[in-house]
Amino acid sequence: MNHSTPTTDHFVNDIRGILVDARKQAYTSVNTMMVLAYWKVGQRIVEEELLGKERADYGHYLIRNLAKQLSDEFGKGFSLANLKNCRQFYLTFPEFEKGYAVRSQLSWTHYRLIMRVENPQAREYYLHEAAAHQWSSRQLERNLASHYFERLLAVPNTQSQPESPPNTLPTSEFIKDPYVLEFLDLPETGLYRESTLEAAIITKLQPFLLELGKGFSFVGRQFRISTETSHFYIDLVFYNYLLKCFVLIDLKTTKLKHQDIGQMDMYVRMFDDLKRGADDNPTLGIILCADKDDTVVRYSVLNDSQQLFASKYLHILPSEEELRQALDARHVLQITSDDAGDVA
């Protein structure tokens, strides 16, 4: 006979919640203490190395011998590779113990990945974003591999949007160029219809939202906006609760054309007029295209607009060299554009 009642069920659930919370807090506490312990191990290794710096290969001998002794007593967590990680951890974050980079949300795996980032500004960005948005170590690894931070830098840093409060966040923190969509598993040839790209995104909506970045929520596909005489359908519509605005995405599996820019400009204007709420900031429009000519971007409304953006999408993760070349080329074009404006 089942003697459970709503009252006892509620009681059991309360107890279960207490225990689950306690386990989570215990895990977080243990994780934080172990991360700090690894930092201290790295500190002692560096200090000991300095004592014997005049002896050839002393550092290598020191860590190798330490790994053997610790592994016998504490297990595989203190292998030669992990002790080298501890050493690098201390050298990368020398102020860690004083609270500079202590983030209880991040595991040792998170720190191992981030400490390999050479750019201090990028490193600080990944530390903050991974902790603030609770990136899993797998998501962090993917964002590092796809050069998440560098792709944000590729978008010009616009000012606060028109009619927005003074504390509105810059859109450059939310829009990337390019977007990396390797998780869609689409052919690299690009010989498919826009409807195929759209369907693939809807099927893999969760990873697509992660690639879009923070604050995005899905509103609809083939979203209809109507005037007195016509109906128009926007491929994808999102809302960003941090920017407090709608974000329209138009998909193009071909190279960006000036007609595409005009179409998105119309969509944004119509959406602002027909759908934007009283408390919403101006709508943003992103043309997600297979390729684009920066000259078309430079001499179109995209160049001055704070609401329109054109970004490429990639089928595979770009190499660091490929991304660097793209960013360098865009930087040169931006300088040329600015100089031309000064002359005019």
Side-chain angles (χ1 to χ4, degrees), residues 156-183:
N157 188 14
T158 58
Q159 302 297 318
S160 297
Q161 301 172 47
E163 305 175 33
S164 301
N167 61 349
T168 298
L169 296 169
T171 56
S172 58
E173 291 184 13
F174 297 81
I175 297 175
K176 308 184 191 76
D177 189 17
Y179 287 87
V180 180
L181 308 180
E182 88 290 349
F183 50 84

Side-chain angles (χ1 to χ4, degrees), residues 63-73 78 80 83:
I63 296 183
R64 185 174 55 187
N65 186 57
L66 181 63
K68 184 179 184 307
Q69 295 188 51
L70 293 182
S71 294
D72 291 342
E73 185 173 353
F78 294 92
L80 177 62
L83 288 178

Side-chain angles (χ1 to χ4, degrees), residues 160-227:
S160 297
Q161 301 172 47
E163 305 175 33
S164 301
N167 61 349
T168 298
L169 296 169
T171 56
S172 58
E173 291 184 13
F174 297 81
I175 297 175
K176 308 184 191 76
D177 189 17
Y179 287 87
V180 180
L181 308 180
E182 88 290 349
F183 50 84
L184 297 182
D185 297 323
L186 291 170
E188 293 182 36
T189 59
L191 300 177
Y192 47 82
R193 297 184 177 182
E194 289 160 5
S195 58
T196 302
L197 175 58
E198 180 184 317
I201 289 173
I202 295 300
T203 301
K204 299 289 183 67
L205 187 57
Q206 183 178 6
F208 185 71
L209 283 170
L210 292 175
E211 170 62 8
L212 283 181
K214 54 192 177 184
F216 283 91
S217 59
F218 179 63
V219 176
R221 65 186 294 194
Q222 292 301 309
F223 192 98
R224 190 176 80 176
I225 48 177
S226 302
T227 65

Side-chain angles (χ1 to χ4, degrees), residues 60-198:
H60 179 69
Y61 165 79
L62 178 73
I63 296 183
R64 185 174 55 187
N65 186 57
L66 181 63
K68 184 179 184 307
Q69 295 188 51
L70 293 182
S71 294
D72 291 342
E73 185 173 353
F74 295 100
K76 63 181 182 179
F78 294 92
S79 64
L80 177 62
N82 209 32
L83 288 178
K84 288 183 177 179
N85 283 330
C86 292
R87 179 182 182 276
Q88 184 60 45
F89 187 32
Y90 169 74
L91 293 174
T92 305
F93 301 108
E95 301 297 321
F96 185 84
E97 192 176 26
K98 297 178 182 177
Y100 167 72
V102 178
R103 289 169 169 85
S104 61
Q105 305 92 334
L106 304 184
S107 68
W108 173 233
T109 303
H110 286 93
Y111 282 110
R112 271 204 334 260
L113 291 168
I114 293 173
M115 72 185 184
R116 289 173 170 77
V117 177
E118 295 183 4
N119 182 343
Q121 186 182 4
R123 207 159 51 225
E124 184 61 33
Y125 172 83
Y126 287 120
L127 281 171
H128 177 269
E129 292 298 303
H133 302 286
Q134 299 183 343
W135 289 352
S136 67
S137 57
R138 179 177 297 182
Q139 185 181 350
L140 170 62
E141 187 171 21
R142 192 262 173 189
N143 288 345
L144 290 170
S146 66
H147 310 284
Y148 195 100
F149 175 74
E150 290 80 1
R151 289 186 286 131
L152 287 174
L153 293 183
V155 178
N157 188 14
T158 58
Q159 302 297 318
S160 297
Q161 301 172 47
E163 305 175 33
S164 301
N167 61 349
T168 298
L169 296 169
T171 56
S172 58
E173 291 184 13
F174 297 81
I175 297 175
K176 308 184 191 76
D177 189 17
Y179 287 87
V180 180
L181 308 180
E182 88 290 349
F183 50 84
L184 297 182
D185 297 323
L186 291 170
E188 293 182 36
T189 59
L191 300 177
Y192 47 82
R193 297 184 177 182
E194 289 160 5
S195 58
T196 302
L197 175 58
E198 180 184 317

Side-chain angles (χ1 to χ4, degrees), residues 41-64 66 80 83-84 86-88 90-91:
V41 168
Q43 181 186 38
R44 282 294 292 119
I45 290 173
V46 172
E47 290 173 348
E48 195 68 22
E49 284 179 337
L50 291 175
L51 294 177
K53 62 182 179 180
E54 296 179 357
R55 295 165 55 184
D57 297 328
Y58 179 74
H60 179 69
Y61 165 79
L62 178 73
I63 296 183
R64 185 174 55 187
L66 181 63
L80 177 62
L83 288 178
K84 288 183 177 179
C86 292
R87 179 182 182 276
Q88 184 60 45
Y90 169 74
L91 293 174

